[in-house]
Amino acid sequence: MPASGQVVGHWLGDNAATWDDLRLSIAGSITYQIFGIPYVGPDICGFIGDTNEELCARWMAVGAFYPFSRNHKAIDTTDQWPYLWDSVLEVYEKALRLRYDYFADLQHVFLSCTHPTGSVMNGLFFEFPNDQNTWTIDEQFLIGSSSFGHAHLARGRFHRSCLF
């Protein structure tokens, strides 16, 4: 229902503990902004299948920026609590501190969503519709219109190019 996002949220569904689903979770969250549902997010670290240390750490890092942010898994998968791996716990603590540091800004962005065209996690094309370079970018995003986010979305890669 159009504009139902003023009163409801949405979870992206039973995503898998894979690098592809990590990447797609950003595009999925951006897509729901277009549908008018700004409070959205995936199961961090993946719901279906067993995650691993690096994948869970990367998911925790970007998870601080999802409007709806939770770690959730299927009952028949291995545990994925942040404290199980030192590196994941370190990323999780930094990500959580960051989320709380910008919580007032995030709250302001959510308040703007009381208008039917409000959104939280925006594709770059939301703010720069005339820049054709932004039209196909689905791995970078803005929170509101000013905070930039991106994630490392490939195993073993620690550097990436971004459009600024």
Side-chain angles (χ1 to χ4, degrees):
M1 174 175 258
S4 65
Q6 292 179 6
V7 292
V8 302
H10 182 74
W11 142 78
L12 288 177
D14 292 341
N15 57 313
T18 66
W19 291 94
D20 283 341
D21 277 17
L22 168 60
R23 184 181 59 76
L24 291 171
S25 70
I26 295 172
S29 295
I30 291 169
T31 299
Y32 271 87
Q33 307 302 307
I34 297 168
F35 298 157
I37 303 175
Y39 187 59
V40 64
D43 293 325
I44 293 174
C45 296
F47 182 78
I48 299 168
D50 295 331
T51 193
N52 62 63
E53 183 174 357
E54 184 183 3
L55 177 60
C56 195
R58 300 285 179 93
W59 219 314
M60 290 285 182
V62 73
F65 296 97
Y66 295 121
F68 174 62
S69 183
R70 73 171 182 176
N71 180 349
H72 185 57
K73 68 174 199 73
I75 198 166
D76 62 343
T77 60
T78 59
D79 286 338
Q80 56 192 33
W81 299 109
Y83 62 78
L84 294 176
W85 302 283
D86 289 341
S87 66
V88 176
L89 182 59
E90 182 180 348
V91 168
Y92 176 70
E93 288 174 342
K94 288 178 182 178
L96 202 55
R97 281 192 187 103
L98 178 62
R99 185 172 180 93
Y100 281 104
D101 284 348
Y102 84 89
F103 191 78
D105 294 333
L106 185 62
Q107 184 178 26
H108 177 74
V109 173
F110 268 109
L111 286 173
S112 74
C113 292
T114 58
H115 187 276
T117 60
S119 58
V120 175
M121 188 175 179
N122 302 312
L124 299 183
F125 60 87
F126 278 53
E127 292 297 319
F128 308 104
N130 296 323
D131 183 348
Q132 293 182 14
N133 295 313
T134 67
W135 294 357
T136 59
I137 296 174
D138 61 0
E139 298 175 353
Q140 298 173 218
F141 54 90
L142 297 168
I143 300 299
S145 61
S146 60
S147 297
F148 177 76
H150 71 94
H152 293 281
L153 303 171
R155 181 181 306 137
R157 293 190 61 202
F158 300 96
H159 301 282
R160 63 168 297 166
S161 298
C162 293
L163 178 67
F164 286 99

